[in-house]
Amino acid sequence: MSVRFETPHLTFRAITYKNCNEPFQITEETITLTKTSNEGYTVGDDELLVEVHAAALNPVDLYLYNSSYWIFGNKPKGLGRDYCGVAVKVGSNLSAKFSVGDRVAGVYTRPFGPGTVSEYVLINHKKFGSTLRVPPGVLLTDVELAAWPLVFSTAAEALEVHRGSKPIGKDSVVLVIGGATAVGQNLIQLAKNHYQVKKIVSVNSASSNAFVTGLGADYTIDYTVHQNLLKPTLEIIKTELEGEKFDFIMDTVGGSDYFSDINLVLKPRKEGSGYATIVGDQKSNYVSANIFKVLTFFGIFARIISSALGWGFKYSYFLLTPSEKYTSWAMDMFEEKKLKVTVDSCYAFEDHQSALARLSSNRAQGKIVIKVKKSL
Ligand SMILES: NC(=O)c1ccc[n+]([C@@H]2O[C@H](COP(=O)([O-])OP(=O)(O)OC[C@H]3O[C@@H](n4cnc5c(N)ncnc54)[C@H](OP(=O)(O)O)[C@@H]3O)[C@@H](O)[C@H]2O)c1
């Protein structure tokens, strides 16, 4: 599939917004290409031009939209971080990794920059290098292929980097607060199928029990019937885990229920335990969520500093750093049939408002995907 561009301007449709006071809309965007001596116009040496087929939404899209104050200017800002599509132009430095026509997928995170719900994305692979050629053994549809990169990478980074000092392994006991969130689903599958951990406890609503146990959770706690998670968690430690506390706690929804009694649920730090959150102390409210609100919580900073100084328990609050390491790891797991992708719902490009409404509901079980290519 060789596409020859005869002008330096590639014009296409994308979903964009200017600021938090204006709605998302379909706009015409332009990428400027570079002239070559023999093939018309192409991309920079480190760039990959992708014709996007499908793109998934993430709560961070709403966080960024809600945070896009006038100070960030009125330049169009894109929707979407995950994508799958086809490489239509490959920069000269990337020819060992990609060929024109390759099926590709990855995460492209440029806060307040272009998004992936766009007919084309131009990716500087040196700066945003999580894109991968999809191996032929990965038998996912385009919609499924767009529905894992950001959340899988976040789960992988949590287990690899932000756990305690002891690597997660066969003797680990893991608690996932929000086992039914898209990040939680991937974390459960990684913990069970890759690290083969001993036990996983998931906090989710009762309506997701069968779903999370199907992915690998051993026990569940229904957050809808407990105002505070400490008591039911202590009960599971006592009855099901025979007194064994957790090696790693991962919070994917936000909260602070355990901090006052952390020693009752988390093993001692000297045994390599850790607690990580990707949200902070407050439950995320996708409708009003704002990246600046998270940063105003003193407790998070106090815990990060005391953890870094070696006081108390090992605590991390982190933002994903996309990496080829995680996306290629997922490809291996897809080929080995050890990772399932759950798509909650799928929308046409023109129906992006319905997709955003579903995302805002915080009820999606799996990813919300927008079909960018009409024929999907
Ligand atoms: N820091 C980072 O780098 C990073 C990266 C990715 C995501 N995140 C953040 O992580 C959070 C999760 O993202 P996501 O895309 O995985 O979420 P998601 O898939 O949109 O989560 C939806 C699910 O959350 C569950 N849920 C809702 N309220 C809950 C509660 N109080 N306790 C437990 N589960 C609850 C619901 O399942 P049930 O009610 O049926 O259990 C629902 O199906 C978001 O706030 C997102 O912004 C941060």
Side-chain angles (χ1 to χ4, degrees):
M1 178 200 168
S2 182
V3 179
R4 190 179 166 90
F5 295 110
E6 300 295 350
T7 81
H9 304 298
L10 169 64
T11 301
F12 53 92
R13 296 183 316 153
I15 311 291
T16 68
Y17 61 97
K18 286 186 177 153
N19 57 54
C20 56
N21 298 316
E22 293 194 22
F24 286 91
Q25 52 192 334
I26 298 174
T27 54
E28 199 167 84
E29 302 300 318
T30 303
I31 287 172
T32 304
L33 303 169
T34 314
K35 176 108 182 88
T36 66
S37 48
N38 55 358
E39 52 168 325
Y41 291 86
T42 189
V43 293
D45 295 344
D46 294 315
E47 290 176 335
L48 185 69
L49 180 64
V50 177
E51 181 196 275
V52 178
H53 288 184
L57 301 187
N58 285 281
V60 70
D61 294 312
L62 298 174
Y63 282 49
L64 287 169
Y65 173 73
N66 293 335
S67 315
S68 62
Y69 303 124
W70 60 269
I71 196 165
F72 297 108
N74 268 338
K75 219 172 129 193
K77 300 159 189 69
L79 171 68
R81 316 285 133 202
D82 295 311
Y83 66 90
C84 99
V86 170
V88 287
K89 285 284 170 196
V90 177
S92 58
N93 291 345
L94 302 177
S95 54
K97 276 178 181 280
F98 302 103
S99 303
V100 168
D102 278 352
R103 204 172 178 218
V104 293
V107 196
Y108 179 55
T109 52
R110 283 191 62 190
F112 305 121
T116 57
V117 189
S118 173
E119 289 171 335
Y120 288 91
V121 278
L122 180 63
I123 294 160
N124 184 316
H125 198 261
K126 224 174 172 177
K127 292 190 193 153
F128 307 98
S130 76
T131 306
L132 272 194
R133 180 198 337 232
V134 180
V138 174
L139 305 175
L140 299 183
T141 63
D142 282 351
V143 164
E144 289 166 332
L145 256 187
W148 60 272
L150 188 143
V151 286
F152 176 88
S153 302
T154 307
E157 188 176 323
L159 290 161
E160 279 288 279
V161 182
H162 304 288
R163 47 152 168 86
S165 57
K166 185 178 157 199
I168 303 288
K170 288 189 173 153
D171 56 354
S172 303
V173 184
V174 173
L175 171 65
V176 190
I177 309 169
T181 64
V183 176
Q185 294 164 26
N186 282 276
L187 196 121
I188 290 172
Q189 295 185 80
L190 268 167
K192 201 66 169 190
N193 302 337
H194 179 77
Y195 294 95
Q196 301 180 328
V197 303
K198 192 156 78 181
K199 294 284 176 211
I200 302 173
V201 178
S202 162
V203 176
N204 51 266
S205 73
S207 62
S208 293
N209 277 353
F211 176 61
V212 298
T213 51
L215 294 176
D218 298 286
Y219 308 107
T220 58
I221 296 171
D222 182 357
Y223 69 87
T224 63
V225 297
H226 298 284
Q227 280 218 321
N228 187 298
L229 295 173
L230 182 63
K231 206 170 154 205
T233 308
L234 291 175
E235 194 56 30
I236 286 217
I237 291 175
K238 191 172 150 201
T239 54
E240 309 292 358
L241 303 179
E242 296 171 341
E244 187 169 2
K245 298 175 201 169
F246 295 101
D247 295 276
F248 181 53
I249 300 178
M250 170 71 177
D251 183 5
T252 72
V253 290
S256 58
D257 292 2
Y258 300 117
F259 295 143
S260 56
D261 293 285
I262 193 76
N263 295 334
L264 300 178
V265 288
L266 195 62
K267 285 180 185 164
R269 184 170 180 155
K270 61 177 186 312
E271 291 179 26
S273 64
Y275 183 111
T277 178
I278 49 171
V279 180
D281 288 12
Q282 297 292 313
K283 294 246 163 344
S284 35
N285 175 340
Y286 295 176
V287 178
S288 61
N290 176 318
I291 50 176
F292 299 110
K293 280 188 188 163
V294 178
L295 303 177
T296 57
F297 286 105
F298 175 73
I300 296 175
F301 286 107
R303 256 174 260 124
I304 290 172
I305 290 165
S306 78
S307 173
L309 293 171
W311 301 336
F313 64 109
K314 163 93 173 28
Y315 172 87
S316 319
Y317 168 85
F318 74 95
L319 297 175
L320 167 68
T321 308
S323 152
E324 197 176 320
K325 178 178 165 189
Y326 303 134
T327 41
S328 70
W329 192 1
M331 293 296 175
D332 293 344
M333 286 184 71
F334 286 138
E335 283 191 296
E336 293 161 14
K337 310 249 180 304
K338 288 183 174 170
L339 181 64
K340 279 187 223 154
V341 173
T342 303
V343 175
D344 172 82
S345 45
C346 206
Y347 297 85
F349 190 78
E350 290 70 20
D351 196 18
H352 57 276
Q353 292 294 355
S354 303
L356 286 159
R358 179 66 183 155
L359 178 68
S360 303
S361 74
N362 198 359
R363 301 301 329 143
Q365 194 175 76
K367 300 301 299 171
I368 296 157
V369 178
I370 296 189
K371 294 191 240 180
V372 178
K373 193 177 171 183
K374 268 205 164 70
S375 57
L376 278 196

